[in-house]
């Protein structure tokens, strides 16, 4: 690879001797830009960082111009984490990522435990939108396993019947003489699907859900256990870099499995909001509703939850006179 080790990329690979595919992701500028849009408390920022990294690893497989979203909802003080991965508009162009979180500040200040525990009971969902004229796909599983990565593993076992494992690391770090910035890195491995991808054993996961090992037996299980054992030797400093490039990391972890590396997919922060979309979203409201939404300055305002963009409109530009 000729790209800087800190560049935002997702590198696909395949382990030919183990029938396993995967991705290595590095996020720095993209993650920093996403989190700099909001002044999140530390537990919220950590979960958003994990969700962004997962979204990049999972989203790399979708087609051009598709959208993949993660939604994590719970009844705890951290109520919602939402991410979007927009597939490249054309070959060679970067994919775009965005994310935001909603939380109860008072409840969060009183909460204890891990960031994941602060979500409470709820659901983990992956949504795929292929564009106009298609029905979006949605897969939902309960929150389980103690981390968003574990939830994603459960999702793939339960909804896709695919053995999947993640190794993730994220946090604030700085090069000598530089300010702290968010950085993240991760590896995803997934057993290649078979002709009949059905569970081979009874569900062994939390709350009776399927786990990765339930998908496999015989040689497939041996290959999977070996690959996961090797993955678990990875160190956090190797995941986030910058001194070990993604392809070097693969050789360190899986050199005996003959890793085959494909072209890396660049990613960047990107939001699809704009005045036209805000006006379109306002079209569902009546003149009376618009009247209630009009402030003392005679404007209707809206803020993008993802990027923080602020929009202000004269009610007349929304198609009618507002009625108070």
């Amino acid at each position: 690879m000729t790209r800087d080790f800190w560049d935002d990329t997702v590198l696909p690979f395949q382990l030919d001797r183990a029938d396993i595919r995967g991705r290595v992701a590095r996020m720095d500028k993209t993650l920093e830009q996403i989190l700099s849009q909001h002044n999140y408390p530390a537990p919220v920022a950590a979960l958003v960082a994990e969700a962004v990294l997962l979204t990049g690893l999972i989203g790399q497989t979708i087609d051009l111009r598709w959208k993949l979203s993660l939604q994590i909802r719970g009844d705890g003080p951290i109520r919602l984490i939402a991410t979007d991965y927009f597939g490249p508009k054309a070959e060679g162009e970067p994919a775009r990522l965005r994310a935001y979180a909603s939380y109860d500040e008072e409840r969060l200040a009183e909460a204890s435990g891990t960031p994941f525990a602060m979500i409470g009971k709820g659901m983990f969902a992956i949504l795929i939108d292929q564009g106009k004229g298609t029905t979006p796909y949605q897969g939902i599983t309960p929150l389980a396993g103690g981390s968003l990565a574990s939830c994603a593993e459960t999702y793939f076992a339960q909804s896709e019947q695919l053995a999947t494992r993640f190794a993730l690391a994220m946090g604030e770090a700085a090069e000598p003489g530089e300010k702290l910035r968010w950085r993240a890195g991760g590896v995803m491995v997934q057993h290649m699907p078979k002709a009949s991808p059905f569970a081979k054993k009874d569900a062994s996961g939390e709350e009776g859900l399927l786990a990765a090992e339930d998908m496999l037996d015989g040689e497939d299980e041996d290959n999977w256990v070996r690959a996961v054992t090797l993955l678990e030797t990875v160190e956090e400093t190797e995941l986030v870099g910058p001194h070990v490039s993604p392809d070097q990391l693969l050789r360190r972890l899986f050199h005996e499995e003959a890793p085959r590396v494909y072209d890396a997919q660049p990613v960047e922060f990107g939001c699809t909001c704009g005045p036209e979309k805000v006006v379109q979203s306002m079209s569902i409201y009546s003149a009376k509703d618009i009247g209630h939404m009009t402030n003392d300055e005679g404007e209707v305002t809206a803020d993008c939850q993802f990027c923080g963009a602020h929009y202000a409109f004269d009610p007349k530009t929304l198609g009618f006179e507002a009625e108070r």
Side-chain angles (χ1 to χ4, degrees):
M1 290 180 64
T2 59
R3 302 183 65 86
D4 189 293
F5 298 166
W6 283 114
D7 280 352
D8 295 72
T9 56
V10 182
L11 177 69
F13 67 90
Q14 184 168 315
L15 305 181
D16 287 338
R17 295 178 183 170
D19 241 6
I20 288 170
R21 64 187 177 186
R23 271 87 75 193
V24 181
R26 290 275 171 83
M27 305 281 178
D28 61 323
K29 294 177 183 177
T30 298
L31 182 58
E32 177 66 20
Q33 192 167 357
I34 287 171
L35 291 174
S36 67
Q37 309 289 340
H38 309 274
N39 186 27
Y40 290 133
V44 180
L47 286 171
V48 172
E50 185 177 3
V52 167
L53 188 55
L54 284 170
T55 305
L57 285 164
I58 299 168
Q60 187 274 331
T61 60
I62 67 172
D63 288 351
L64 298 177
R65 295 178 294 278
W66 288 13
K67 181 177 78 170
L68 180 141
S69 305
L70 259 61
Q71 286 191 10
I72 299 101
R73 296 180 180 272
D75 60 3
I78 301 176
R79 297 179 295 224
L80 170 68
I81 300 169
T83 66
D84 288 327
Y85 178 103
F86 299 94
K89 295 180 180 179
E91 293 288 350
E93 293 190 10
R96 292 167 295 152
L97 275 165
R98 66 179 188 175
Y100 82 94
S102 173
Y103 59 96
D104 185 315
E105 192 168 353
E106 291 185 3
R107 291 179 64 196
L108 188 65
E110 299 172 354
S112 60
T114 65
F116 181 81
M118 297 178 189
I119 306 174
K121 294 182 179 180
M123 63 91 172
F124 178 96
I126 291 181
L127 302 90
I128 299 176
D129 185 350
Q130 301 177 31
K132 293 182 179 180
T134 64
T135 301
Y137 164 83
Q138 178 175 278
I140 300 175
T141 54
L143 294 175
S147 70
L148 296 182
S150 295
C151 291
E153 292 169 1
T154 299
Y155 163 83
F156 279 108
Q158 194 74 22
S159 298
E160 306 292 333
Q161 299 275 290
L162 292 174
T164 307
R165 187 63 57 89
F166 294 90
L168 309 179
M170 68 285 299
E172 290 185 287
E175 292 293 301
E178 296 183 359
K179 66 177 183 179
L180 286 172
R181 294 195 306 169
W182 277 91
R183 310 189 192 280
V187 180
M188 172 184 180
V189 293
Q190 192 168 64
H191 199 276
M192 301 287 280
K194 298 295 185 180
S196 299
F198 300 110
K200 308 294 184 181
K201 308 168 186 174
D202 293 336
S204 62
E206 186 175 323
E207 299 182 8
L209 297 169
L210 290 171
E213 292 73 16
D214 303 330
M215 307 297 110
L216 308 169
D217 57 13
E219 185 178 357
D220 286 340
E221 183 175 16
D222 293 340
N223 289 337
W224 176 252
V225 170
R226 186 171 66 254
V228 168
T229 300
L230 293 171
L231 179 62
E232 290 174 346
T233 66
V234 71
E235 299 178 3
E236 289 190 358
T237 53
E238 292 178 312
L239 289 172
V240 299
H243 304 297
V244 180
S245 68
D247 52 341
Q248 289 174 333
L249 176 59
L250 289 176
R251 288 196 294 270
R252 285 191 182 189
L253 291 174
F254 304 118
H255 65 278
E256 294 183 356
E257 309 302 319
R260 188 197 316 178
V261 176
Y262 298 93
D263 292 337
Q265 171 63 60
V267 295
E268 63 184 18
F269 171 76
C271 192
T272 60
C273 72
E276 297 83 2
K277 289 194 174 183
V278 176
V279 171
Q280 184 180 8
S281 69
M282 293 286 184
S283 66
I284 66 172
Y285 296 105
S286 67
K288 186 176 182 180
D289 293 331
I290 293 296
H292 289 308
M293 297 165 64
T294 303
N295 60 25
D296 293 339
E297 286 72 39
E299 295 178 328
V300 178
T301 63
D303 297 303
C304 177
Q305 295 171 304
F306 286 98
C307 70
H310 178 76
Y311 300 94
F313 302 92
D314 184 324
K316 295 179 182 179
T317 67
L318 301 177
F320 43 73
E321 296 281 354
E323 299 176 359
R324 289 185 180 275

